Amino acid sequence: MAVLVYTENWDGSFKKLSFELVSYGANLANMLGKPLVVLSIGNVASAELEKLGNYGARRILSLADPALQVFDSQAYTEAIAQVATREKAEVVVLSNNNLGKAVAPRLSVKLKAGLGAGISKLPLSTSPFVVYKRAFSGNAFAHVEIKTPVRILTLAQNSFGLVENPGTPSIETISVSIDSALVKTSVSEVQKQTGKLLLTDAEIVVSGGRGMKSPDNWGPLVELADLLGGATACSRPVSDEGWRPHEEHTGQTGKIIAPNLYIAVGISGATQHLAGVSSSKVIVAINTDKDAPIFEAAQYGIVGDAMKVLPKLVEAVKEIKHK
Amino acid sequence: MKILVCISNVPDTTTRVRFVDNNKKLDTNGIQWVINPWDELSLTRALELKDDPANGIQTVAVAHVGLVSAEPTIRKALAIGADEAFRVNAEPGDAYFVAAQLAEVVKANPFDIIFCGIESSDYNNSAVGGMLAEFLGIPSVSSVSSINIMEGKPVLTREVDGGRETVAVPVPFVAIVQKGIAKEPRIASMRGIMTARTKPIKVLEPVSIEPLTSVQEFELPPARKKCTFVDPENPKQLIELLQNEAKVL
Ligand SMILES: Cc1cc2nc3c(=O)[nH]c(=O)nc-3n(C[C@H](O)[C@H](O)[C@H](O)COP(=O)(O)OP(=O)(O)OC[C@H]3O[C@@H](n4cnc5c(N)ncnc54)[C@H](O)[C@@H]3O)c2cc1C
């Protein structure tokens, strides 16, 4: 019996979400009194794999198979299911990111294991096994009982945080048997967003709405995000208009994020927008309209014109950084 | 080619949800029910593909697992332009249950492309599409932000963390769609509303499947603290509060 965590890598390196998953897995394993097993797929150097040891991984399985070079949801499901069965995993944890959302439901059917998707905490109880997850797009939370002996969980990003628990892991190279005919996905083009922080991984996000007025006004907003070491985001109309790239769209129909700090500039705070950002730990709103609904969600607010307030904020941050 | 769009019936996205029955059930009083936003966009894209004869799409059908109370939502999909509808007459137990029922629909009525939304705005499970594909043993492409038919073959764009990829898979497959798939949802025309009345909704009885999960209770998010306002002339104060009070900088 074990807790199995699958963690993705990007060209051989892990990101914050990988360490968060391992932190979660280690705590869950501890709660259940079972060992944690971490699975990595692809070519990852041992020095990189060892970094997972900082967050509680003591046993890492490293799997590189030609059938898993392209991401095919059926093949990945098959591989993870084989490892889960071999390790007698009673919980399999993946990220609630694009890959996790693609694989977890398939895995649930394959292993006939109930799925808890987008969970943000350790289980509320382990017998019965009850998880806590967002529902109604952040307008509520649900306590969901998973009734099967094996469970699949996907962890919402930035919900659990990193928990250091350093140690040296053992690394085993493993293999699975996957018929290459199972791989049906062919990839003809890859566009990479290189070097940039993943919006879903960012701890600070500065986001602009229609109140930014034009695509030419984003200079100070981007500068503020850079100075704070954060990422930039936007509301849906802004990406629909093409003022900002689609990857930045947050909300019900865009990305769901949970940074420590979310600064909403010229965003009215429609329910559908809040659906994507309401799990942020602190929300700051800058808006000319003192009655804008965003101030109901915000902990700090400035009623004022973004064009005037943003440059002053940039100056204030620079000043504090100098000290 | 034939396209099936799986639709979920959800409270309008501006609904302030409330619960009854010791927080076990959604209070459906006064709720406006709509087609799940993703499913509405999928349907729009399916119809756009059908509009171009070169794509060779013969039918666009919709399928829903739910009770008769959901029929207005299904009629709406027919009014928007779907040719026919399937309704599996059962309370949608959990995602596993719904996907198992949809799988039976597809086994009895084969489709080439099956659209599912990346999530349903009520339970936010992102589950039905992948589960359906696994039940059917066919490929699924997730986080799909565009789909076109090129020389008779579907070509898709999928979002991956940190980029996007252009991919192809052989039919039949499940496309699990997200933002980008269509710009604006198509709205029903007067004529669409009239013809929808005579379009068939095939009602099927469910197969016996046990859900794997159940909701024990719901809770509302904790109330937010009141907003502290900072003088717009002195944003430095904001930075200080974020550093010293909120401790997020
Ligand atoms: C099914 C569905 C799904 C949706 N999904 C999403 C989603 O995922 N994400 C999303 O964001 N929206 C979504 N929407 C749209 C949502 O309802 C709102 O229309 C949208 O969020 C509004 O964007 P906004 O706040 O940028 O613009 P507006 O609502 O136009 O607000 C602009 C704000 O800027 C303020 N302002 C104006 N000038 C200034 C200035 N100089 N300085 C400071 N403030 C200023 C105004 O007071 C106003 O509050 C969805 C809608 C539907 C129906």
Side-chain angles (χ1 to χ4, degrees):
Chain A
M1 297 295 222
V3 170
L4 177 69
V5 166
Y6 164 65
T7 173
E8 198 178 343
N9 67 81
W10 284 261
D11 296 327
S13 355
F14 294 118
K15 289 197 193 278
K16 196 179 116 201
L17 75 91
S18 324
F19 303 128
E20 186 180 29
L21 272 173
V22 173
S23 302
Y24 182 85
N27 281 273
L28 176 61
N30 194 20
M31 187 174 177
L32 294 167
K34 301 284 154 60
L36 167 69
V37 181
V38 177
L39 171 66
S40 166
I41 297 179
N43 290 312
V44 182
S46 1
E48 186 70 15
L49 288 170
E50 275 165 18
K51 287 185 189 164
L52 301 175
N54 292 334
Y55 303 92
R58 297 295 177 268
R59 185 160 163 251
I60 299 174
L61 309 179
S62 175
L63 166 65
D65 188 300
L68 301 172
Q69 251 162 11
V70 163
F71 172 61
D72 177 278
S73 52
Q74 262 177 309
Y76 268 63
T77 301
E78 179 61 39
I80 298 171
Q82 283 183 24
V83 177
T85 308
R86 207 184 293 163
E87 295 296 329
K88 300 193 174 57
E90 60 185 86
V91 188
V92 182
V93 189
L94 299 95
S95 174
N96 192 39
N97 67 351
N98 288 305
L99 190 145
K101 285 180 189 171
V103 173
R106 297 199 73 125
L107 213 46
S108 164
V109 171
K110 183 147 205 117
L111 299 173
K112 204 161 194 256
L115 171 66
I119 54 159
S120 53
K121 283 186 183 175
L122 287 170
L124 301 175
S125 76
T126 55
S127 174
F129 199 92
V130 179
V131 295
Y132 183 85
K133 70 177 295 286
R134 77 195 267 288
F136 295 97
S137 304
N139 289 313
F141 291 89
H143 301 190
V144 178
E145 180 184 348
I146 305 181
K147 299 172 176 168
T148 47
V150 179
R151 304 100 185 174
I152 315 291
L153 305 182
T154 63
L155 180 67
Q157 279 159 263
N158 273 342
S159 61
F160 190 71
L162 303 181
V163 183
E164 289 196 22
N165 176 2
T168 315
S170 72
I171 298 172
E172 296 161 40
T173 308
I174 60 156
S175 60
V176 288
S177 75
I178 299 174
D179 183 353
S180 57
L182 192 64
V183 182
K184 301 267 171 45
T185 311
S186 61
V187 176
S188 57
E189 198 191 326
V190 180
Q191 282 167 268
K192 266 191 200 152
Q193 159 205 344
T194 43
K196 255 173 69 183
L197 183 62
L198 293 180
L199 177 51
T200 41
D201 245 6
E203 282 170 14
I204 297 179
V205 173
V206 187
S207 183
R210 207 140 53 179
M212 292 296 291
K213 298 277 161 57
S214 118
D216 309 325
N217 292 339
W218 292 72
L221 189 151
V222 175
E223 189 177 2
L224 181 63
D226 284 345
L227 280 169
L228 297 174
T232 50
C234 67
S235 69
R236 177 163 115 174
V238 164
S239 71
D240 281 354
E241 291 294 329
W243 295 0
R244 299 292 299 172
H246 283 294
E247 299 82 72
E248 291 194 357
H249 162 192
T250 47
Q252 172 146 31
T253 44
K255 289 208 165 75
I256 293 166
I257 58 173
N260 292 339
L261 173 60
Y262 182 73
I263 306 182
V265 189
I267 292 177
S268 59
T271 352
Q272 297 97 344
H273 184 80
L274 294 176
V277 303
S278 61
S279 298
S280 307
K281 274 111 218 150
V282 174
I283 296 178
V284 171
I286 302 171
N287 199 302
T288 41
D289 174 8
K290 68 172 189 0
D291 296 323
I294 187 75
F295 287 121
E296 280 164 39
Q299 192 168 334
Y300 301 103
I302 297 184
V303 178
D305 183 344
M307 302 312 129
K308 297 198 183 109
V309 175
L310 278 175
K312 284 191 193 140
L313 267 179
V314 166
E315 286 317 308
V317 174
K318 279 188 184 156
E319 212 173 289
I320 283 163
K321 284 208 148 184
H322 266 296
K323 276 188 200 158
Chain B
M1 270 197 287
K2 294 173 79 177
I3 301 182
L4 180 69
V5 181
C6 301
I7 59 175
S8 174
N9 181 37
V10 299
D12 177 88
T13 51
T14 55
T15 308
R16 292 223 165 192
V17 292
R18 286 183 314 263
F19 301 99
V20 288
D21 214 0
N22 287 326
N23 287 331
K24 282 189 167 47
K25 275 210 175 101
L26 178 69
D27 180 357
T28 52
N29 254 321
I31 283 188
Q32 178 90 4
W33 295 89
V34 298
I35 306 176
N36 182 41
W38 302 113
D39 309 343
E40 200 178 18
L41 290 173
S42 301
L43 176 60
T44 301
R45 186 60 194 148
L47 294 170
E48 286 169 3
L49 290 174
K50 190 184 165 212
D51 285 346
D52 182 353
N55 288 330
I57 312 287
Q58 291 110 25
T59 326
V60 173
V62 295
H64 173 70
V65 177
L67 301 177
V68 68
S69 53
E71 288 212 351
T73 298
I74 301 175
R75 283 278 170 228
K76 189 178 166 205
L78 293 170
I80 293 169
D83 300 299
E84 54 173 348
F86 298 90
R87 179 173 69 82
V88 180
N89 188 29
E91 187 85 56
D94 72 347
Y96 183 85
F97 176 89
V98 169
Q101 304 301 338
L102 291 171
E104 295 304 315
V105 173
V106 179
K107 280 181 204 158
N109 309 272
F111 287 90
D112 300 285
I113 306 175
I114 301 157
F115 281 115
C116 285
I118 191 149
E119 66 169 27
S120 187
S121 63
D122 46 6
Y123 293 103
N124 307 125
N125 278 328
S126 301
V128 170
M131 287 181 173
L132 172 59
E134 188 66 31
F135 274 121
L136 294 169
I138 61 175
S140 54
V141 184
S142 215
S143 311
V144 171
S145 58
S146 87
I147 178 165
N148 288 293
I149 311 287
M150 273 134 116
E151 290 157 9
K153 294 203 171 73
V155 177
L156 305 94
T157 308
R158 71 172 174 198
E159 305 295 311
V160 293
D161 287 58
R164 61 169 55 106
E165 299 175 346
T166 310
V167 306
V169 282
V171 295
F173 65 89
V174 178
I176 302 160
V177 310
Q178 62 144 50
K179 175 188 163 63
I181 191 77
K183 209 163 169 162
E184 288 289 330
R186 189 173 280 199
I187 36 183
S189 65
M190 209 49 216
R191 204 177 137 251
I193 294 168
M194 301 300 286
T195 52
R197 291 188 191 152
T198 57
K199 286 181 183 171
I201 299 182
K202 291 182 192 147
V203 180
L204 311 165
E205 286 310 313
V207 290
S208 162
I209 294 278
E210 274 302 306
L212 306 183
T213 63
S214 72
V215 174
Q216 288 196 325
E217 68 172 276
F218 291 101
E219 64 183 58
L220 294 173
R224 290 257 173 199
K225 278 193 219 128
K226 252 191 134 38
C227 184
T228 306
F229 285 94
V230 172
D231 177 4
E233 297 304 319
N234 186 16
K236 209 166 129 187
Q237 193 201 340
L238 173 66
I239 304 296
E240 283 161 7
L241 285 168
L242 293 175
Q243 275 190 314
N244 306 325
E245 190 181 87
K247 300 194 180 0
V248 287
L249 286 187

